[in-house]
Amino acid sequence: MSKYLLNKFLYTVDRDPVLVERYRREPRELVAWWEAERANAVLNCHTGESTTWLRFDDVEREALAAHDHVKLFELGAHPFLTLTLFIALFERDNTEPLEYQKSYGARLAHFAMPYPDIAT
């Protein structure tokens, strides 16, 4: 399991409107593409630099592909990164102010202190 890679996915997808829309429409395909093409890229560096060892485990891959923010929180993904991306994905489907954010929080209400560790 790699909290770093989960957070890197959330961060990089959220900052690219094209990727946000792909993730909304075809999450499994986007996760597979991102893992193959972007997971090992070194951020903020020229394009020739990359690693070779980063990959999601099956649980992480499924949580991302299913848009399962509760599972991502349980796995230690940073809640701010998850929330900001998921607002971009799903807030438009709601009609009331903060409706999505309230629903998002309600689905996490069963967690008690201490929350899952988000340190990478």
Side-chain angles (χ1 to χ4, degrees), residues 11-83:
Y11 176 83
T12 59
V13 171
D14 190 35
R15 274 137 191 85
D16 185 330
V18 173
L19 293 181
V20 169
E21 292 309 310
R22 280 185 65 192
Y23 188 41
R24 179 178 163 91
R25 283 190 326 272
E26 49 189 39
R28 289 188 190 286
E29 292 82 357
L30 185 274
V31 170
W33 172 84
W34 189 92
E35 187 175 14
E37 299 296 326
R38 299 274 178 97
N40 288 298
V42 178
L43 297 179
N44 302 317
C45 191
H46 63 82
T47 57
E49 293 294 325
S50 65
T51 64
T52 57
W53 61 274
L54 294 171
R55 67 183 51 88
F56 297 122
D57 66 25
D58 292 340
V59 174
E60 293 166 332
R61 196 175 295 110
E62 180 57 29
L64 289 168
H67 293 147
D68 188 347
H69 74 269
V70 176
K71 186 64 172 180
L72 291 169
F73 183 74
E74 181 183 307
L75 293 171
H78 196 286
F80 179 77
L81 295 174
T82 307
L83 178 60

Side-chain angles (χ1 to χ4, degrees), residues 1-17:
M1 181 176 85
S2 172
K3 288 185 268 186
Y4 168 78
L5 194 58
L6 285 174
N7 289 333
K8 183 178 178 181
F9 175 89
L10 298 168
Y11 176 83
T12 59
V13 171
D14 190 35
R15 274 137 191 85
D16 185 330

